[in-house]
Amino acid sequence: METEAAGPRIVVGVDGSPSSHAAVRWAVRYAGLVGGRVDAVAAWEMPGIETWSAPPVDSDFDEDNARQRLAEELREALGADPAGSVRALLVRGHPVDVLLRAAEGAQALVVGSHGRRGFTRALLGSVSQHIAQHARCPVVIVRPDRP
């Protein structure tokens, strides 16, 4: 990943959840304040890769479709005209590993408090909790907007 050559880099995790949308909006506002840019990172991994002994095959995964969905998620979070300082990245791997690698050299890593699979009564989701404990840059955990 690039360093701060073009201003501070803010990394935000995107998974389509309400708190992810709020995190994207927070990251874009913050980048605007510090003259930075945003790397919006979505991770994907093949099901069963950790437990299955045969080579993993995901016949349902379509990378072009996933990139299109990521662009739609950003439009949904930011409106019809997403900020020009946002770069969408689709990366294969476990979300924690992908986000920690993407945040190397970043000014901040922004994630939602809960992903799509989060328990509503838990204070933090497993990804946000792990990132808060292991990131080498400041971490911002954003709760979903209230209706």
Side-chain angles (χ1 to χ4, degrees):
M1 295 273 156
E2 299 168 30
T3 57
E4 296 184 25
R9 187 169 56 87
I10 313 305
V11 175
V12 61
V14 179
D15 69 2
S17 66
S19 62
S20 167
H21 288 185
V24 168
R25 288 188 291 274
W26 193 98
V28 168
R29 281 192 307 269
Y30 180 71
L33 292 173
V34 299
R37 60 188 168 80
V38 175
D39 284 347
V41 180
W44 67 274
E45 92 183 312
M46 294 191 185
I49 198 163
E50 298 295 325
T51 57
W52 196 32
S53 61
V57 175
D58 187 356
S59 60
D60 293 335
F61 186 78
D62 178 346
E63 192 167 342
D64 290 334
N65 187 316
R67 286 186 196 289
Q68 187 175 25
R69 282 194 332 259
L70 174 56
E72 289 169 10
E73 290 293 337
L74 292 174
R75 273 192 299 279
E76 187 175 326
L78 299 172
D81 187 26
S85 63
V86 177
R87 179 172 68 155
L89 301 169
L90 179 66
V91 182
R92 181 178 171 186
H94 188 276
V96 169
D97 299 330
V98 166
L99 290 171
L100 290 175
R101 274 194 319 270
E104 290 176 8
Q107 183 172 16
L109 173 55
V110 184
V111 293
S113 59
H114 291 93
R116 288 200 173 274
R117 293 181 225 130
F119 293 103
T120 56
R121 287 194 277 157
L123 293 176
L124 290 177
S126 61
V127 171
S128 58
Q129 183 172 15
H130 196 90
I131 284 180
Q133 294 171 341
H134 297 283
R136 294 183 180 201
C137 65
V139 174
V140 177
I141 299 173
V142 181
R143 295 180 55 90
D145 298 329
R146 290 195 171 166

